[in-house]
Amino acid sequence: MRNLVKQIHISKRTELPWYKAWAIRGVAILLALVACALVTMLLTGENPISIYITIFEGAFGTARRTWITAQDLAILLGISLAVTPAFKMRFWNIGAEGQVLIGGLATAACMICLADTLSNGMVILCMILASVLAGALWGFLPAFFKAKWNTNETLFTLMMNYIATQLAAYYIIVWEVPKGSGKIGIINQSTEVGWLPQIGNQYLLSIVVVVILTGFMYLYLSRSKHGYEIAVVGESQRTASYAGIKVDRVIIRTMVLSGAICGLMGLLLVGSINHTLTTTVVDNRGFTAVMVSWMAKFNPIVMVFTSLLLVVLSRGASEISSTFGLNHSFADILTGIIIFFIIGSEFFITYRINLRKSVEKEA
Amino acid sequence: MTALETVQNAIRMEHITKRFGNVVANHDITLELHKGEILSLLGENGSGKTTLMNMLSGIYYSDEGQIYVNDKPVTISSPKDAFDLGIGMIHQHFKLVDVFTATENIVLGLEEPGRLDLKKASQKITEICQRYGFEVDLNQKIYEMSVSQKQAVEIVKVLYRGADILILDEPTAVLTPQETDKLFTVMRNMKADGKSLIIITHKLHEVLEVSDRVAVLRKGEYIGDVATRDASQQSLTDMMVGHAVSLNINRPDPVNVHPRLEVKGLTVYDELGVKRLSDVTFTANSGEILGIAGIAGSGQRELLEAISGLYPISAGNILFHPESEDEKAPADQKVRELVGLDPMAIRKCGVSMAFVPEDRLGMGLVGSMGMTGNMMLRSWRKGKGAFLNRKEPETLANRIWKELDVVTPSVSFPVRRMSGGNVQKVLVGREIAQEPAVLMTAYAVRGLDINTSYTIYNLLTEEKMKGVAVVYVGEDLDVLLELCDRILVLCGGQVSGIVDARTADKRQLGTLMTRVGGGSVHA
């Protein structure tokens, strides 16, 4: 065993041309599909090709499905864009789930409590302000404690998720319709007060917002002074203070921005897409966003593709479970395999593996 | 040792090659260590000395080649393998547990059967100390020890594990001349006891003083070996750098000297409440290079960071005197107090201060960015609006690339991937480009080859002639004495003396470096 280990020699690559890196990623996705096919045949006896076709049809089979896929893509991408500046700063914010939910809660609160007293336009204005402020507060708290007392942001943001979930659960009971159902139902179904206006069709508003957000985030990170500060703080806080960057301020400012964008996504989820609030309205996308952001190496443009991949897989997965009568977990297995291969390919992009010439006369 | 006597090899490394990515750190090196000799492994920084030795101590594994210990082929794939073969390495950075005593550190990690018998162990350790002449208090905690005592503990640790072959990686880098003498005595005692030693160094006079034979590496290649009695400083320098270089540093007399930076009674504490600087008072003049000497960790870093506004100051004044033309202005506008200002505030009040910190990639530069991005560290705030101005920094990056011969494929190539010398050129180039009134450098030539070092010396001297107050924190006393105009010596966070570099000598500096309170400050 020891000799075998010695035959393999792992060294860091100095530089890999971009096309080779993408070739490696492409091969990884192909291998992932092959592995998925094998697993499918062995476990279910179904034809893997038809499963892939079903996945594709689940995501893009009809115009309506395509629109929903695009809308899901927009929300996931939006949350991913929100967490990215924090990650670039090496601030491990895993609290997007809570930040989106609290934004959604604030939206619902405005829709329910202000519908009778304010005009529709004012309600919507309040919703926008409230959701953005609520998300920003959820981002501010962990950042403030991190900047002042160096608390662990990962634990802090995770805990904030639970607080948001419990608050949402409490208010859902307070506002439940009808009493005893444990649900809010569609808010202002008859008056449609606080429903965000539709442009074109019911899906397009979120998509447009996120397209603008993508462009904004790309410019913000790569061209603005703030973006530069974030990059330097992420690399080394000592370098940042050396360059006269106020590290505490950058940490707090960036997390407030992160949280505010999450809050905005909460607004879209509740005010434009669902018109109701449940504790699971974010549907773990706050965590999936972490993966989207990392797989894209924090590049907002690449994130469009990584989030597309994950959205298509998850939309296709629900289709498989109904068409073939397979459990939804089976789709999760396939998603897991594909992500495993994609993340694994990064190892081969960073490192080179050589087989050592066998050394004679070894003891 | 006569020529006729058959020489037995303790170690023979044959055709050793080691690569890191595309960089060949060692190329086809064949090296012998004879039994009972002290071999100096000489080479500039980056010539592959430490890499080669790390393959003996099991930290790296060679890509090609074979190692023989006592004429038997061996495979060393872990530090434990090295210990089993009787090879022990004393690293530049000590690996000791601060809150343990010397004895506890020495027995740490040994897997001996049965209960741990500290008494018996300490007897054995005392025996070793007496035999070779180490001065170590076995019950003292590491954090109470001076650097040389810590080093002694490291050596005893290796001997206690039964090493016959000792490798010392730049052991004198952190020692005063007096402590170095003591170390050499111990080394000679070990040699007399039949141990074989390799000492890695780039200090020529030490090579000549302590070793029997010298092996020279240059850029990863083995240049040759020579018996020390046949070698001279000049011949070794020629082997090391490949061609004869003048060891003289050009030092013009200072012109138009007047006070630029006045530090009075500066006292700082670190976050643990330990006093790092105590009542430091001095003046840095324009048109002059002020050297700062001292054992590593005597307060050099704290001093420079305090002046740049990066270290909290608990008492004292730092006064900045602007250009002499302003002298007609009222006194309160003329002199500026810098205490209590952060780097941005210092900059805003018109004081142009350049700082080349010791930790180049961790403080002075952003490793993942290219030259342009790093130029922006000093100019990112310039210009109106929310967006960055990339043009100026890019022009500056291109200028430095050309003027200082920085080896890099482009100005966007991450500086982390450049070699140490080029990284330093980028950093020093950027700092000088600010046209500073005060230029502070910490260990500006550490890890650089001789040619780059001279480039840096010349740049600093040019700045001095332009009327900049240059502060040069250095470790090589020869360079300090040849480059600087005055030298301030720090010891334990206090100023133990300020001397004229043209008349002082190394002994004098060495004495000052250890004078206050025995000089034992733990880093």
Side-chain angles (χ1 to χ4, degrees), chain B residues 135-181:
Chain B
E135 291 168 13
V136 187
D137 177 357
L138 293 181
N139 295 318
Q140 203 177 11
K141 298 263 203 292
I142 297 297
Y143 67 82
E144 298 167 330
M145 292 186 174
S146 70
V147 180
S148 73
Q149 284 170 315
K150 287 181 199 173
Q151 187 179 55
V153 173
E154 283 279 11
I155 301 175
V156 173
K157 189 166 127 189
V158 164
L159 290 170
Y160 183 80
R161 283 159 167 70
D164 289 319
I165 300 163
L166 284 92
I167 305 163
L168 295 102
D169 189 358
E170 307 231 10
T172 60
V174 289
L175 302 182
T176 61
Q178 286 82 351
E179 289 170 335
T180 303
D181 288 345

Short mmCIF file of all heavy atoms in Angstrom, two decimals, chain B residues 135-181:
data_model
loop_
_atom_site.label_atom_id
_atom_site.label_comp_id
_atom_site.label_asym_id
_atom_site.label_seq_id
_atom_site.Cartn_x
_atom_site.Cartn_y
_atom_site.Cartn_z
N GLU B 135 23.63 25.54 27.35
CA GLU B 135 23.19 26.20 28.58
C GLU B 135 21.68 26.32 28.55
O GLU B 135 21.12 27.28 28.05
CB GLU B 135 23.84 27.58 28.69
CG GLU B 135 25.33 27.50 28.93
CD GLU B 135 26.01 28.85 28.75
OE1 GLU B 135 25.31 29.87 28.69
OE2 GLU B 135 27.24 28.84 28.69
N VAL B 136 21.02 25.31 29.09
CA VAL B 136 19.56 25.31 29.09
C VAL B 136 19.06 24.96 30.49
O VAL B 136 19.56 24.02 31.12
CB VAL B 136 19.00 24.24 28.11
CG1 VAL B 136 17.49 24.36 28.01
CG2 VAL B 136 19.62 24.37 26.75
N ASP B 137 18.10 25.74 30.97
CA ASP B 137 17.43 25.38 32.21
C ASP B 137 16.24 24.51 31.83
O ASP B 137 15.28 24.96 31.21
CB ASP B 137 16.97 26.65 32.93
CG ASP B 137 16.19 26.31 34.20
OD1 ASP B 137 15.99 25.10 34.47
OD2 ASP B 137 15.80 27.24 34.92
N LEU B 138 16.33 23.23 32.20
CA LEU B 138 15.34 22.26 31.72
C LEU B 138 13.93 22.54 32.22
O LEU B 138 12.95 22.12 31.63
CB LEU B 138 15.76 20.85 32.11
CG LEU B 138 17.03 20.35 31.43
CD1 LEU B 138 17.34 18.95 31.86
CD2 LEU B 138 16.86 20.43 29.92
N ASN B 139 13.82 23.23 33.36
CA ASN B 139 12.49 23.45 33.93
C ASN B 139 11.88 24.78 33.52
O ASN B 139 10.79 25.12 33.94
CB ASN B 139 12.55 23.34 35.45
CG ASN B 139 12.91 21.92 35.86
OD1 ASN B 139 12.42 20.94 35.29
ND2 ASN B 139 13.83 21.79 36.80
N GLN B 140 12.61 25.50 32.69
CA GLN B 140 12.09 26.79 32.24
C GLN B 140 11.06 26.58 31.13
O GLN B 140 11.19 25.69 30.30
CB GLN B 140 13.26 27.63 31.72
CG GLN B 140 12.98 29.11 31.75
CD GLN B 140 14.19 29.90 31.29
OE1 GLN B 140 15.16 29.37 30.76
NE2 GLN B 140 14.13 31.20 31.51
N LYS B 141 10.04 27.41 31.16
CA LYS B 141 9.03 27.35 30.10
C LYS B 141 9.59 28.02 28.84
O LYS B 141 10.38 28.96 28.92
CB LYS B 141 7.76 28.08 30.54
CG LYS B 141 7.11 27.49 31.77
CD LYS B 141 5.99 26.55 31.38
CE LYS B 141 4.95 26.32 32.45
NZ LYS B 141 5.36 25.60 33.64
N ILE B 142 9.13 27.53 27.69
CA ILE B 142 9.68 28.02 26.43
C ILE B 142 9.45 29.52 26.26
O ILE B 142 10.31 30.26 25.80
CB ILE B 142 9.05 27.26 25.23
CG1 ILE B 142 9.41 25.77 25.30
CG2 ILE B 142 9.49 27.85 23.91
CD1 ILE B 142 10.87 25.45 25.20
N TYR B 143 8.25 30.00 26.69
CA TYR B 143 7.97 31.42 26.44
C TYR B 143 8.86 32.35 27.26
O TYR B 143 8.91 33.54 27.02
CB TYR B 143 6.49 31.73 26.65
CG TYR B 143 5.98 31.61 28.07
CD1 TYR B 143 6.16 32.64 28.98
CD2 TYR B 143 5.32 30.45 28.49
CE1 TYR B 143 5.69 32.52 30.27
CE2 TYR B 143 4.85 30.34 29.78
CZ TYR B 143 5.04 31.38 30.68
OH TYR B 143 4.58 31.26 31.96
N GLU B 144 9.54 31.77 28.28
CA GLU B 144 10.44 32.61 29.07
C GLU B 144 11.85 32.63 28.48
O GLU B 144 12.75 33.25 29.03
CB GLU B 144 10.53 32.09 30.51
CG GLU B 144 9.20 32.11 31.25
CD GLU B 144 9.24 31.32 32.55
OE1 GLU B 144 10.01 30.33 32.62
OE2 GLU B 144 8.53 31.68 33.46
N MET B 145 12.06 31.88 27.41
CA MET B 145 13.42 31.70 26.90
C MET B 145 13.78 32.70 25.81
O MET B 145 12.91 33.20 25.10
CB MET B 145 13.57 30.30 26.32
CG MET B 145 13.51 29.22 27.35
SD MET B 145 13.88 27.66 26.56
CE MET B 145 13.93 26.60 27.99
N SER B 146 15.07 32.93 25.67
CA SER B 146 15.54 33.74 24.56
C SER B 146 15.58 32.86 23.31
O SER B 146 15.46 31.64 23.38
CB SER B 146 16.93 34.28 24.85
OG SER B 146 17.85 33.22 24.82
N VAL B 147 15.77 33.50 22.18
CA VAL B 147 15.78 32.75 20.92
C VAL B 147 16.87 31.69 20.93
O VAL B 147 16.67 30.56 20.50
CB VAL B 147 15.96 33.72 19.74
CG1 VAL B 147 15.97 32.95 18.45
CG2 VAL B 147 14.86 34.74 19.72
N SER B 148 18.04 32.04 21.44
CA SER B 148 19.15 31.08 21.38
C SER B 148 18.88 29.90 22.31
O SER B 148 19.27 28.78 22.02
CB SER B 148 20.47 31.77 21.72
OG SER B 148 20.55 32.05 23.08
N GLN B 149 18.19 30.18 23.43
CA GLN B 149 17.85 29.05 24.32
C GLN B 149 16.84 28.12 23.66
O GLN B 149 16.94 26.90 23.76
CB GLN B 149 17.28 29.59 25.63
CG GLN B 149 18.35 30.16 26.55
CD GLN B 149 17.75 30.89 27.74
OE1 GLN B 149 16.81 31.66 27.58
NE2 GLN B 149 18.29 30.65 28.91
N LYS B 150 15.88 28.72 22.96
CA LYS B 150 14.90 27.90 22.25
C LYS B 150 15.58 27.02 21.22
O LYS B 150 15.26 25.85 21.05
CB LYS B 150 13.86 28.78 21.54
CG LYS B 150 12.89 29.45 22.45
CD LYS B 150 11.91 30.27 21.61
CE LYS B 150 11.22 31.30 22.48
NZ LYS B 150 10.38 32.21 21.72
N GLN B 151 16.55 27.63 20.55
CA GLN B 151 17.28 26.87 19.54
C GLN B 151 18.02 25.70 20.19
O GLN B 151 18.01 24.59 19.66
CB GLN B 151 18.26 27.80 18.84
CG GLN B 151 18.94 27.15 17.68
CD GLN B 151 19.88 28.13 17.01
OE1 GLN B 151 20.75 28.70 17.67
NE2 GLN B 151 19.70 28.36 15.74
N ALA B 152 18.63 25.98 21.35
CA ALA B 152 19.34 24.91 22.06
C ALA B 152 18.37 23.78 22.38
O ALA B 152 18.70 22.60 22.21
CB ALA B 152 19.98 25.46 23.34
N VAL B 153 17.16 24.12 22.82
CA VAL B 153 16.17 23.08 23.12
C VAL B 153 15.88 22.24 21.87
O VAL B 153 15.81 21.01 21.93
CB VAL B 153 14.86 23.70 23.65
CG1 VAL B 153 13.78 22.64 23.81
CG2 VAL B 153 15.11 24.40 24.97
N GLU B 154 15.75 22.91 20.72
CA GLU B 154 15.51 22.19 19.47
C GLU B 154 16.65 21.21 19.16
O GLU B 154 16.40 20.09 18.74
CB GLU B 154 15.36 23.18 18.30
CG GLU B 154 14.01 23.88 18.25
CD GLU B 154 12.93 23.02 17.62
OE1 GLU B 154 13.15 21.83 17.41
OE2 GLU B 154 11.84 23.57 17.35
N ILE B 155 17.87 21.65 19.37
CA ILE B 155 19.01 20.78 19.06
C ILE B 155 19.04 19.60 20.03
O ILE B 155 19.21 18.44 19.63
CB ILE B 155 20.34 21.57 19.10
CG1 ILE B 155 20.30 22.72 18.09
CG2 ILE B 155 21.53 20.65 18.80
CD1 ILE B 155 21.51 23.62 18.13
N VAL B 156 18.84 19.90 21.32
CA VAL B 156 18.85 18.82 22.32
C VAL B 156 17.73 17.82 22.01
O VAL B 156 17.92 16.61 22.13
CB VAL B 156 18.68 19.41 23.75
CG1 VAL B 156 18.52 18.29 24.76
CG2 VAL B 156 19.87 20.28 24.10
N LYS B 157 16.58 18.33 21.58
CA LYS B 157 15.45 17.46 21.23
C LYS B 157 15.87 16.45 20.18
O LYS B 157 15.55 15.26 20.27
CB LYS B 157 14.32 18.35 20.71
CG LYS B 157 13.00 17.68 20.50
CD LYS B 157 11.94 18.74 20.32
CE LYS B 157 11.15 18.54 19.05
NZ LYS B 157 10.25 19.68 18.77
N VAL B 158 16.59 16.92 19.19
CA VAL B 158 17.03 16.06 18.10
C VAL B 158 18.07 15.05 18.60
O VAL B 158 18.01 13.86 18.27
CB VAL B 158 17.59 16.93 16.96
CG1 VAL B 158 18.39 16.11 16.00
CG2 VAL B 158 16.46 17.64 16.25
N LEU B 159 18.99 15.52 19.45
CA LEU B 159 20.01 14.62 19.98
C LEU B 159 19.39 13.56 20.87
O LEU B 159 19.78 12.39 20.86
CB LEU B 159 21.05 15.42 20.77
CG LEU B 159 21.96 16.32 19.96
CD1 LEU B 159 22.77 17.23 20.88
CD2 LEU B 159 22.90 15.50 19.08
N TYR B 160 18.39 13.97 21.66
CA TYR B 160 17.72 13.06 22.58
C TYR B 160 17.07 11.91 21.82
O TYR B 160 16.97 10.80 22.29
CB TYR B 160 16.65 13.83 23.36
CG TYR B 160 15.92 13.02 24.40
CD1 TYR B 160 16.50 12.77 25.64
CD2 TYR B 160 14.64 12.52 24.14
CE1 TYR B 160 15.83 12.03 26.59
CE2 TYR B 160 13.96 11.78 25.09
CZ TYR B 160 14.55 11.53 26.31
OH TYR B 160 13.89 10.80 27.26
N ARG B 161 16.65 12.18 20.61
CA ARG B 161 16.05 11.14 19.78
C ARG B 161 17.11 10.29 19.09
O ARG B 161 16.80 9.48 18.24
CB ARG B 161 15.14 11.77 18.72
CG ARG B 161 13.81 12.21 19.25
CD ARG B 161 13.18 13.24 18.35
NE ARG B 161 11.78 13.45 18.65
CZ ARG B 161 11.32 14.06 19.75
NH1 ARG B 161 12.19 14.50 20.65
NH2 ARG B 161 10.03 14.23 19.95
N GLY B 162 18.37 10.54 19.42
CA GLY B 162 19.45 9.68 18.94
C GLY B 162 19.97 10.03 17.57
O GLY B 162 20.46 9.16 16.85
N ALA B 163 19.88 11.30 17.19
CA ALA B 163 20.37 11.66 15.87
C ALA B 163 21.90 11.69 15.83
O ALA B 163 22.54 12.17 16.76
CB ALA B 163 19.82 13.03 15.47
N ASP B 164 22.46 11.14 14.76
CA ASP B 164 23.90 11.20 14.53
C ASP B 164 24.21 12.21 13.45
O ASP B 164 25.34 12.60 13.26
CB ASP B 164 24.43 9.84 14.07
CG ASP B 164 24.40 8.85 15.19
OD1 ASP B 164 24.75 9.25 16.32
OD2 ASP B 164 24.02 7.69 14.95
N ILE B 165 23.19 12.51 12.66
CA ILE B 165 23.37 13.42 11.54
C ILE B 165 22.44 14.60 11.81
O ILE B 165 21.23 14.44 11.91
CB ILE B 165 22.98 12.73 10.22
CG1 ILE B 165 23.87 11.50 10.01
CG2 ILE B 165 23.09 13.70 9.06
CD1 ILE B 165 23.34 10.52 8.99
N LEU B 166 23.04 15.78 11.97
CA LEU B 166 22.21 16.95 12.28
C LEU B 166 22.24 17.95 11.15
O LEU B 166 23.31 18.23 10.59
CB LEU B 166 22.70 17.63 13.56
CG LEU B 166 22.34 16.92 14.86
CD1 LEU B 166 23.45 15.97 15.26
CD2 LEU B 166 22.05 17.93 15.95
N ILE B 167 21.08 18.48 10.83
CA ILE B 167 20.98 19.50 9.79
C ILE B 167 20.46 20.77 10.45
O ILE B 167 19.39 20.75 11.07
CB ILE B 167 20.01 19.06 8.68
CG1 ILE B 167 20.43 17.71 8.12
CG2 ILE B 167 19.93 20.11 7.59
CD1 ILE B 167 19.36 17.01 7.34
N LEU B 168 21.21 21.85 10.35
CA LEU B 168 20.78 23.10 10.95
C LEU B 168 20.46 24.10 9.84
O LEU B 168 21.34 24.45 9.05
CB LEU B 168 21.86 23.67 11.87
CG LEU B 168 22.19 22.82 13.10
CD1 LEU B 168 23.46 22.04 12.88
CD2 LEU B 168 22.28 23.68 14.34
N ASP B 169 19.19 24.52 9.78
CA ASP B 169 18.77 25.43 8.71
C ASP B 169 18.91 26.87 9.17
O ASP B 169 18.14 27.33 10.02
CB ASP B 169 17.31 25.12 8.34
CG ASP B 169 16.87 25.88 7.10
OD1 ASP B 169 17.68 26.66 6.56
OD2 ASP B 169 15.72 25.68 6.67
N GLU B 170 19.88 27.57 8.63
CA GLU B 170 20.15 28.97 8.97
C GLU B 170 20.06 29.23 10.47
O GLU B 170 19.28 30.07 10.92
CB GLU B 170 19.16 29.89 8.24
CG GLU B 170 19.14 29.64 6.76
CD GLU B 170 19.31 30.89 5.93
OE1 GLU B 170 19.64 31.95 6.52
OE2 GLU B 170 19.15 30.80 4.71
N PRO B 171 20.85 28.52 11.24
CA PRO B 171 20.70 28.63 12.69
C PRO B 171 21.12 30.01 13.22
O PRO B 171 20.68 30.41 14.29
CB PRO B 171 21.61 27.54 13.23
CG PRO B 171 22.64 27.35 12.19
CD PRO B 171 21.96 27.62 10.89
N THR B 172 21.95 30.71 12.50
CA THR B 172 22.47 31.96 13.05
C THR B 172 21.64 33.17 12.67
O THR B 172 21.91 34.27 13.13
CB THR B 172 23.91 32.18 12.56
OG1 THR B 172 23.89 32.27 11.14
CG2 THR B 172 24.82 31.06 12.99
N ALA B 173 20.62 32.95 11.84
CA ALA B 173 19.83 34.09 11.35
C ALA B 173 19.23 34.91 12.49
O ALA B 173 19.08 36.11 12.39
CB ALA B 173 18.72 33.61 10.42
N VAL B 174 18.90 34.25 13.59
CA VAL B 174 18.21 34.96 14.67
C VAL B 174 19.13 35.22 15.86
O VAL B 174 18.69 35.66 16.90
CB VAL B 174 16.99 34.14 15.15
CG1 VAL B 174 15.90 34.17 14.10
CG2 VAL B 174 17.38 32.71 15.48
N LEU B 175 20.43 34.92 15.71
CA LEU B 175 21.33 35.03 16.86
C LEU B 175 22.21 36.27 16.77
O LEU B 175 22.50 36.78 15.70
CB LEU B 175 22.23 33.78 16.93
CG LEU B 175 21.51 32.43 17.03
CD1 LEU B 175 22.54 31.32 17.14
CD2 LEU B 175 20.56 32.40 18.20
N THR B 176 22.65 36.72 17.93
CA THR B 176 23.64 37.80 17.98
C THR B 176 25.01 37.16 17.72
O THR B 176 25.16 35.94 17.85
CB THR B 176 23.67 38.46 19.35
OG1 THR B 176 24.03 37.46 20.31
CG2 THR B 176 22.31 39.03 19.71
N PRO B 177 26.01 37.97 17.40
CA PRO B 177 27.35 37.40 17.19
C PRO B 177 27.85 36.58 18.39
O PRO B 177 28.43 35.51 18.21
CB PRO B 177 28.20 38.65 16.97
CG PRO B 177 27.27 39.66 16.41
CD PRO B 177 25.95 39.39 17.04
N GLN B 178 27.57 37.06 19.59
CA GLN B 178 28.02 36.32 20.78
C GLN B 178 27.34 34.96 20.87
O GLN B 178 27.98 33.94 21.16
CB GLN B 178 27.70 37.13 22.05
CG GLN B 178 28.59 38.32 22.29
CD GLN B 178 28.15 39.56 21.48
OE1 GLN B 178 27.27 39.49 20.62
NE2 GLN B 178 28.79 40.69 21.76
N GLU B 179 26.03 34.94 20.60
CA GLU B 179 25.30 33.67 20.66
C GLU B 179 25.76 32.74 19.55
O GLU B 179 25.80 31.52 19.73
CB GLU B 179 23.79 33.94 20.52
CG GLU B 179 23.19 34.59 21.75
CD GLU B 179 21.76 35.08 21.53
OE1 GLU B 179 21.39 35.36 20.36
OE2 GLU B 179 21.03 35.20 22.51
N THR B 180 26.10 33.32 18.40
CA THR B 180 26.60 32.51 17.30
C THR B 180 27.89 31.80 17.70
O THR B 180 28.06 30.62 17.43
CB THR B 180 26.85 33.40 16.07
OG1 THR B 180 25.65 34.08 15.75
CG2 THR B 180 27.30 32.58 14.89
N ASP B 181 28.77 32.53 18.38
CA ASP B 181 30.02 31.91 18.85
C ASP B 181 29.73 30.71 19.73
O ASP B 181 30.35 29.66 19.61
CB ASP B 181 30.86 32.94 19.62
CG ASP B 181 31.47 33.97 18.69
OD1 ASP B 181 31.46 33.71 17.46
OD2 ASP B 181 31.92 35.02 19.17
#
